[in-house]
Amino acid sequence: MQMSEAKPFLFKGGRQAICLLHAFGGSSNDVRLLGHQLNLAGYTVYAPVFSGHGGDPRNIFTDGGPKVWSKDAHWALCHLRDAGYQPVAAFGLSMGGLFATELLETEPELLAGGTFSSPVVSFGGNSVAKGFPKMVSGYCQAQGMSSEEEESIQAEIKPNLKKCLADLDNYVKVNIAGHLDQIKVPFFIAQGGADEVIDRQSGAKLRDRLTDLGKKVDFHFYPGASHVLTCNSAHRQLFADVKHYLTENIGENHE
C-alpha cells in the first residue's frame, strides 16, 4: 500500500497560537505529539509542511530550497495572524528551528519561540547527508519499489542533497546566524545530549552567542535524548519546559 503525503495540521484551541516547524526531510508529523500536548493546554497549534516535504523525497529539491522554506515559515505566521490569533509563538525542530529563529528576528509581533535540536550557529557539523539515504530507503520500501528503482532514486538525490545542504548552510550564515541581535524576546533552546544528527554542543553554542548579545535565554539540556526531542524519551519533559516558558512569557492561556 502506498504511503500518503503528510499534511499540515491545525489544532484549534484558545486565542494564543503556536507555530511549529518540522525538520529537514520530515513533515508536520515530527511535531504532532507536541502539538497535541500544547493544544490540550489550551493553545491553538499550527504546523505547516515545508515545500517538497511529506512525500517523494525528490520533491524536496525540485520544489523547495532555503528561500522557499523561509517564505513557507512566514506564510504560516501570516495564516495564524489573518485568522485572528494573537499573540503567537514560533518553535522549530532542527531545520524548522532555523526558520523559527528567522521569524523571531524579523516578525515583531512574536512574543516567544525558539529551537529544538537546531544548528543555528553550527550548521556545518551535522550528519544529515549520511542519514538522509536511510529516509529515502524507507520511503522507497513503503512505496513497494524494487531495489533497482531505489538505487536510481538514491543516485538522483545524492548531488541534489549535497547542493541543497550547501545552500542551506550559506543561507543560515548570511540570513539567520548573523542577525541574532534582532531577537527581542526570551529565546527557548532545547538540546539532546545523545543527538546523532547535529553537534551536541549546538544548543550551548547558540545559548552562549545569544547571552553574549545580551539576550535572555531559557536553555534546556536533556542528557540521554537523541535528535528528535519532540517524540523521543525527552518529549514529556520538553512539553513541560515549553509550557512553563510560554506561561512565563505570554501568560496563562484561556480558551
Side-chain angles (χ1 to χ4, degrees), residues 195-213:
D195 198 314
E196 74 283 15
V197 176
I198 67 171
D199 179 358
R200 296 171 185 178
Q201 296 301 313
S202 293
K205 290 177 180 177
L206 177 57
R207 175 201 60 196
D208 294 345
R209 183 76 63 85
L210 288 168
T211 301
D212 288 345
L213 290 169

Side-chain angles (χ1 to χ4, degrees), residues 70-71 73-78 81 86 88-90 99-112 182-185:
S70 174
K71 290 179 180 178
H74 283 86
W75 181 90
L77 186 60
C78 288
R81 183 173 55 213
Q86 186 72 19
V88 177
F99 294 108
T101 301
E102 186 178 40
L103 289 179
L104 288 160
E105 293 171 343
T106 58
E107 298 288 348
E109 75 266 32
L110 284 173
L111 299 185
Q182 297 301 309
I183 295 172
K184 308 300 182 186
V185 301

Side-chain angles (χ1 to χ4, degrees), residues 160-189:
N160 294 329
L161 176 62
K162 182 178 181 180
K163 180 180 184 303
C164 182
L165 292 178
D167 290 345
L168 187 56
D169 185 14
N170 183 65
Y171 186 90
V172 171
K173 289 176 180 176
V174 173
N175 297 284
I176 302 176
H179 300 279
L180 295 172
D181 61 313
Q182 297 301 309
I183 295 172
K184 308 300 182 186
V185 301
F187 196 96
F188 183 95
I189 301 172

